[in-house]
Amino acid sequence: MSRIAYVNGRYLPQRDASVNIEDRGYQFSDGVYEVCEVSEGRLVDERRHIERLQRSLAELRIAMPMSPAALGVVFREVVRRNRVRWGIVYLQITRGVSRRDHAFPPPGTAPSIVVTARNLDFANAEKLAADGVAVVTVPENRWERVDIKSVSLLPNVLAKQAAREQGAREAWFVDKEGRVTEGSSSNAWIVTRDGKVVTRQADHAILRGITRTVVLEVLAAHGLKLEERAFTVDEAHAAREAFVTSASQIVIPVVRIDGRPVGNGAPGLIASALRRDFHRHAEFS
Ligand code: PMP
């Protein structure tokens, strides 16, 4: 079955889908994206993802090319046409096509929009969750506005590759003070020896993950203690548990950091409980 992409108003077989070589996304990474989980064929937390999209676009002064409701229709249609049961829908919006010039294109230049969707390997994700994953740490080298979900991801690409080359699944960025900001494509969490769940406050130094927001609700429902603050790599090494969150993987326990076991080296109870209960707190549409 050929995959179908939505590109600027048309549903096309993915092999025929293309963007203009003068698209500003291609030339300058001048665009934003969203990734939304699809679970049993339904969108998870669509409303929150579209709200974050609107915020990212507003920060970069790119116009929203269609209403949230129309975008929801496109999401569902792409999910349906690709027969996605469990996977992701990907959206990218750029500042559009214009003769190459760093400054913004003329007013009225239409943003470009692409939506794709695909199934993920459910069994593989469950195995990762059951086994836990390794992370490595890398120096934070991104710009100061990573709260904007921009497609400019070169440091994240290099960090993820560094992780893979060291046999790890994720890389955690560490700022100059030795504190973890977030993963290359996930938010970072630890559970301290005395049972407090810690994740960095959502300022400009991290992306405010939608999964992170929902996990905060799950924690509250369980009556678990939360501290929204930066934690150091040393604290992470001494932690009882660690885990990462993202829309495509929900909650994944971290069992090694830079080659050293976290806690007893097995997935933690809190991470596993958060993963189990996540979808009871998420919104389906
Ligand atoms: N931080 C970064 C850098 C990411 O790429 C992601 C995944 N999009 C996240 C955090 C987690 O965000 P979410 O839970 O919305 O997927």
Side-chain angles (χ1 to χ4, degrees), residues 23-26 28-34 53 56-57 60 62 90-96 111-112 143 148-153:
D23 192 282
R24 292 181 63 93
Y26 178 62
F28 297 114
S29 299
D30 188 1
V32 303
Y33 74 108
E34 276 296 329
L53 169 73
S56 295
L57 289 170
L60 299 179
I62 298 174
Y90 175 85
L91 159 76
Q92 177 166 327
I93 295 174
T94 75
R95 205 181 301 276
S112 304
W143 74 323
I148 301 169
K149 202 163 169 55
S150 142
V151 292
S152 181
L153 290 171

Side-chain angles (χ1 to χ4, degrees), residues 26-58:
Y26 178 62
Q27 299 218 330
F28 297 114
S29 299
D30 188 1
V32 303
Y33 74 108
E34 276 296 329
V35 177
C36 192
E37 188 202 3
V38 178
S39 183
E40 296 183 356
R42 290 192 295 161
L43 296 170
V44 179
D45 289 317
E46 172 193 1
R47 178 185 62 81
R48 288 188 173 104
H49 282 280
I50 291 183
E51 275 172 18
R52 184 173 66 184
L53 169 73
Q54 290 177 295
R55 177 179 180 278
S56 295
L57 289 170

Side-chain angles (χ1 to χ4, degrees), residues 55-172:
R55 177 179 180 278
S56 295
L57 289 170
E59 290 288 340
L60 299 179
R61 293 194 280 153
I62 298 174
M64 177 84 165
M66 59 175 75
S67 69
L71 193 53
V73 171
V74 173
F75 279 174
R76 257 167 279 279
E77 188 60 16
V78 174
V79 166
R80 191 185 67 78
R81 290 192 190 218
N82 289 284
R83 296 189 201 144
V84 179
R85 293 297 303 157
W86 191 82
I88 51 166
V89 53
Y90 175 85
L91 159 76
Q92 177 166 327
I93 295 174
T94 75
R95 205 181 301 276
V97 176
S98 187
R99 195 182 65 200
R100 191 175 187 281
D101 176 10
H102 288 61
F104 288 1
T109 301
S112 304
I113 173 165
V114 169
V115 179
T116 57
R118 67 185 172 96
N119 280 297
L120 293 179
D121 184 344
F122 187 79
N124 185 48
E126 288 299 306
K127 183 164 168 26
L128 281 181
D131 295 349
V133 298
V135 306
V136 295
T137 57
V138 295
E140 177 64 88
N141 59 355
R142 299 174 300 162
W143 74 323
E144 275 136 39
R145 288 306 308 276
V146 296
D147 57 306
I148 301 169
K149 202 163 169 55
S150 142
V151 292
S152 181
L153 290 171
L154 193 48
N156 309 59
V157 167
L158 297 177
K160 187 76 91 186
Q161 182 61 21
R164 292 287 154 83
E165 287 173 7
Q166 294 173 68
R169 187 82 197 171
E170 180 59 302
W172 279 2

Side-chain angles (χ1 to χ4, degrees), residues 33 52 149 156 182-187 207 209-211 245-247:
Y33 74 108
R52 184 173 66 184
K149 202 163 169 55
N156 309 59
E182 63 179 339
S184 70
S185 63
S186 59
N187 288 118
L207 181 74
I210 303 302
T211 318
T245 57
S246 70

